[in-house]
Amino acid sequence: MRGYVMSRGRPRKADYRFLGAVPDPMWWLDYRDHTDPNYPSLLMRASGGKWQTYLSGIPSQRRDEVGTPIRFSLALEGKCGGNAPGAPDDDVTDRVVGLVQRWLEQYTDGAGLTELGRLLDEQFPSDDEVVELRLRRDREAGDRVQDRVTALLRSVEPRPDGAKALEPDGRKSWFDSPRRAEAVTAFTAHVRALLLGSDGRALVLNLVQGAEEAPSVEPGEALAVLAPEAPRRGLPVPLGEVARRRPPGKRAGRTSRISVGRPRRRTVLLFALPAGVVLAGLVIWYLTHRHTSTP
């Protein structure tokens, strides 16, 4: 497993950068139309026996010099495997599941996200070191950060509740809200499946409000999407059906607007133009005849 950490120092000029090594490519930027990575986002994808995940918006206790809270972002990647001795990344599956569970607790009034921030602060207690690592791209700096990420994962145990539950109603690809406990349980199960080798994605997107705005389902994948801004009614929604209902050529999230009980603009103009011509004729007739004397 390989891990990367992004943060910043207290000085305003020490803005957000990865500490030590930088992941290549920064694949999560492909989702900028669906989520702002500067705010809480969780993205995971798996295919071909490898997985990658990105978690942002983890709060540090540190603040910059004008009092703005400092955040952490984590990028992790590894080989899919189980928890049996000798398997690839043998106990990473449970540790990453525990990481995801704590991150999701921000939507269910849990303290997990704050706990993650505290654990990261323990790994990077010195602001001077953070400022230094922002500017270093040598192997020693990258290895130092990797050791801290490994120590972080060792301190994270999976929550006991529902980590192996099934997706809602057995659906392969679905959309839901992270504020629903059932959705969080199902999402965690989906994350575990990806870590164990299933092809697909698990996404928490902060710019999406409805299932029609979610990313398209790729052939053969299992996609689970949570959106904090989604209404809780009518959930979960099977994403495949949403894609089939969307009219060809329509952009996601855009629907035609038809007013009910109000005449359309073109219809109003159709009747207004002849009426205007008649009114103008009456005005001209009045002006030309009002001074004409009667015989």
Side-chain angles (χ1 to χ4, degrees):
M1 190 278 302
R2 186 73 188 174
Y4 306 87
V5 178
M6 177 186 285
S7 193
R8 61 162 299 149
R10 286 193 175 94
R12 293 294 288 175
K13 64 181 180 181
D15 207 352
Y16 285 95
R17 284 170 59 102
F18 276 98
L19 311 182
V22 178
D24 182 26
M26 295 186 186
W27 57 272
W28 55 89
L29 297 180
D30 293 341
Y31 292 88
R32 283 176 293 186
D33 289 342
H34 298 97
T35 199
D36 184 342
N38 295 314
Y39 293 91
S41 305
L42 191 159
L43 310 170
M44 176 176 281
R45 64 181 187 178
S47 65
K50 297 180 180 179
W51 60 267
Q52 296 172 301
T53 189
Y54 175 82
L55 302 93
S56 65
I58 303 172
S60 170
Q61 294 299 310
R62 296 180 299 125
R63 294 177 176 267
D64 67 16
E65 60 189 7
V66 298
T68 304
I70 292 174
R71 306 179 304 274
F72 288 104
S73 295
L74 286 174
L76 309 173
E77 56 191 37
K79 296 179 181 179
C80 298
N83 293 323
D89 291 335
D90 56 0
D91 73 337
V92 169
T93 297
D94 280 344
R95 307 294 180 172
V96 175
V97 167
L99 198 72
V100 169
Q101 287 175 308
R102 284 163 175 77
W103 189 93
L104 288 170
E105 285 182 8
Q106 63 185 294
Y107 302 112
T108 54
D109 299 324
L113 187 67
T114 302
E115 179 187 348
L116 286 182
R118 176 181 59 78
L119 292 173
L120 278 163
D121 279 335
E122 291 176 359
Q123 297 300 324
F124 297 94
S126 169
D127 191 71
D128 291 339
E129 182 186 36
V130 170
V131 172
E132 172 202 350
L133 290 172
R134 287 178 61 260
L135 303 176
R136 291 182 57 180
R137 295 293 179 259
D138 56 279
R139 183 170 181 176
E140 191 278 331
D143 289 346
R144 194 194 310 179
V145 174
Q146 176 64 44
D147 290 344
R148 309 288 177 83
V149 173
T150 301
L152 169 71
L153 287 179
R154 286 175 179 163
S155 66
V156 176
E157 294 284 350
R159 303 292 200 207
D161 53 324
K164 298 183 180 179
L166 297 176
E167 285 85 355
D169 302 328
R171 293 178 179 128
K172 187 175 181 181
S173 295
W174 48 272
F175 174 91
D176 212 322
S177 167
R179 306 185 192 282
R180 293 189 343 111
E182 302 93 331
V184 170
T185 298
F187 188 87
T188 304
H190 187 63
V191 165
R192 178 179 290 277
L194 296 180
L195 292 166
L196 291 176
S198 296
D199 288 354
R201 291 174 290 167
L203 312 173
V204 182
L205 308 172
N206 58 45
L207 297 181
V208 169
Q209 293 187 340
E212 71 279 2
E213 298 175 358
S216 300
V217 180
E218 299 296 332
E221 78 160 343
L223 172 63
V225 178
L226 298 181
E229 300 302 319
R232 300 192 195 186
R233 292 180 298 174
L235 297 174
V237 176
L239 283 176
E241 293 182 15
V242 171
R244 287 194 294 272
R245 287 199 300 265
R246 187 182 303 159
K250 292 287 186 181
R251 290 182 55 190
R254 298 288 296 273
T255 57
S256 58
R257 300 179 64 181
I258 301 177
S259 300
V260 179
R262 288 174 27 184
R264 298 180 65 176
R265 182 179 298 178
R266 187 176 299 176
T267 305
V268 171
L269 290 176
L270 182 66
F271 288 98
L273 287 175
V277 171
V278 173
L279 179 62
L282 290 173
V283 170
I284 294 173
W285 181 88
Y286 172 76
L287 293 175
T288 56
H289 288 76
R290 62 178 179 172
H291 297 299
T292 305
S293 57
T294 56

